[in-house]
Amino acid sequence: QVQLVESGGGVVQPGGSLRLSCVASGFTFYASTPNWYRQAPGKEREWVASVNSINYVTYSDSVKGRFTISRDNARNTVYLQMNDLKPEDTAVYYCNVVLRGNTNYWGQGTQVTVSP
């Protein structure tokens, strides 16, 4: 079955960096478009970034220029490099993929906390 397992979250000071990873299994990863979303306390889940099968990347305006999404098809892994982190980046970060039948699959999430 489809599985998405995130890791790499933690606590970091403003201006710091973290790299999130999401290991995928149970589907044809190289042909998919993995996404990163995040959900802050009391807020709705929001889209952060996507990378498609030909490595075309897109970002939300709030992270453009600071975050970089990438993929390693040999490892079935998608990454989110986060630089110049701000307190407003504090959230649970989720890996997502939409597969056949427009079915959404989600990982369990990884907590990122940006605090002095």
Side-chain angles (χ1 to χ4, degrees), residues 5-67:
V5 181
E6 303 100 331
S7 62
V11 180
V12 64
Q13 293 186 340
S17 298
L18 283 173
R19 188 175 84 152
L20 307 183
S21 300
C22 171
V23 179
S25 60
F27 63 98
T28 309
F29 180 78
Y30 71 84
S32 69
T33 297
N35 310 290
W36 285 99
Y37 282 76
R38 67 185 182 185
Q39 188 166 19
K43 294 189 175 182
E44 299 211 342
R45 194 171 296 190
E46 66 170 350
W47 169 75
V48 174
S50 299
V51 55
N52 73 4
S53 59
I54 57 171
N55 270 320
Y56 181 78
V57 298
T58 50
Y59 300 97
S60 68
D61 287 343
S62 60
V63 307
K64 199 174 295 182
R66 300 187 297 122
F67 290 11

Side-chain angles (χ1 to χ4, degrees), residues 4 6 22 35-49 60 62-63 88-98 103-111:
L4 300 168
E6 303 100 331
C22 171
N35 310 290
W36 285 99
Y37 282 76
R38 67 185 182 185
Q39 188 166 19
K43 294 189 175 182
E44 299 211 342
R45 194 171 296 190
E46 66 170 350
W47 169 75
V48 174
S60 68
S62 60
V63 307
E88 52 264 41
D89 295 316
T90 295
V92 178
Y93 284 72
Y94 296 92
C95 184
N96 162 270
V97 65
V98 181
T103 301
N104 271 281
Y105 294 90
W106 299 92
Q108 82 286 356
T110 186
Q111 175 71 48

